[in-house]
Amino acid sequence: MKPFEMKDYKVFDMFNNQWALVTAGTPDHYNTCTIAWGSLGTIWGGPNRGRSIVTVYVNPDRYTYDFLKETDVFTVDWFPQEYRKALGYLGSRSGRDEDKIGKAGLTPVYADNTVYFEEAKLVLICKKLYQSELQESGFLYQETIDQNYPQR
């Protein structure tokens, strides 16, 4: 596996035009969910000193949320287009209820005390730096809440 180089990817298109999986937990007990929202960038540093970061947004209702909350390492995986159906399946089923990863036909790989998938074309192994829940009072535009969180 080669190190991630931002110059090799259209980072603003990665979440906008593709789905990804965020996976958290330990090799013995983990879950994954499909995400379409997130960002890549840098934080906390000047030129050539910033930390590369990935920010993901996971609804607290999702089973994966608990795994993310309890572990310090997680992965974000992007897949070739031919896996879109599998990612759709993973985004519509809960790991609480079934072995959705097995049914989606993905192959888990264990590294750095976390899990990613062999079929991914890009895997980011991430160490958590910060976590917080979005609060309705922090949104500046009501339409953002209405369009994306109609059930609050």
Side-chain angles (χ1 to χ4, degrees):
M1 185 180 333
K2 73 176 195 154
F4 176 77
E5 293 286 341
M6 233 185 259
K7 66 180 177 49
D8 295 336
Y9 298 90
K10 296 180 179 179
V11 295
F12 292 105
D13 291 336
M14 289 174 68
F15 281 109
N16 198 35
N17 295 325
Q18 302 174 51
W19 293 340
L21 293 179
V22 61
T23 308
T26 65
D28 297 327
H29 189 59
Y30 62 93
N31 198 58
T32 192
C33 69
T34 304
I35 57 173
W37 299 344
S39 62
L40 297 165
T42 57
I43 194 169
W44 297 322
N48 299 317
R49 293 190 342 240
R51 286 181 182 256
S52 297
I53 61 164
V54 59
T55 304
V56 296
Y57 302 90
V58 177
N59 190 314
D61 293 340
R62 300 296 297 261
Y63 186 45
T64 305
Y65 178 85
D66 293 329
F67 290 88
L68 284 165
K69 198 169 178 183
E70 295 171 11
T71 58
D72 291 334
V73 180
F74 65 96
T75 61
V76 180
D77 302 11
W78 282 270
F79 292 79
Q81 187 64 27
E82 62 261 26
Y83 289 94
R84 184 132 176 124
K85 185 176 179 182
L87 272 63
Y89 184 84
L90 291 166
S92 65
R93 303 293 194 280
S94 175
R96 287 183 189 105
D97 305 326
E98 64 178 87
D99 177 14
K100 68 179 189 172
I101 296 165
K103 288 182 178 179
L106 296 183
T107 309
V109 176
Y110 310 106
D112 297 319
N113 203 36
T114 194
V115 180
Y116 67 92
F117 299 99
E118 184 177 298
E119 296 81 4
K121 68 178 179 181
L122 174 64
V123 174
L124 300 180
I125 298 175
C126 307
K127 182 172 178 165
K128 189 167 44 177
L129 296 175
Y130 180 84
Q131 71 182 23
S132 179
E133 289 189 27
L134 295 176
Q135 303 296 318
E136 188 169 344
S137 62
F139 286 89
L140 302 179
Y141 303 101
Q142 186 65 39
E143 63 267 19
T144 303
I145 297 169
D146 295 341
Q147 290 171 3
N148 296 290
Y149 302 100
Q151 297 177 351
R152 301 300 190 269

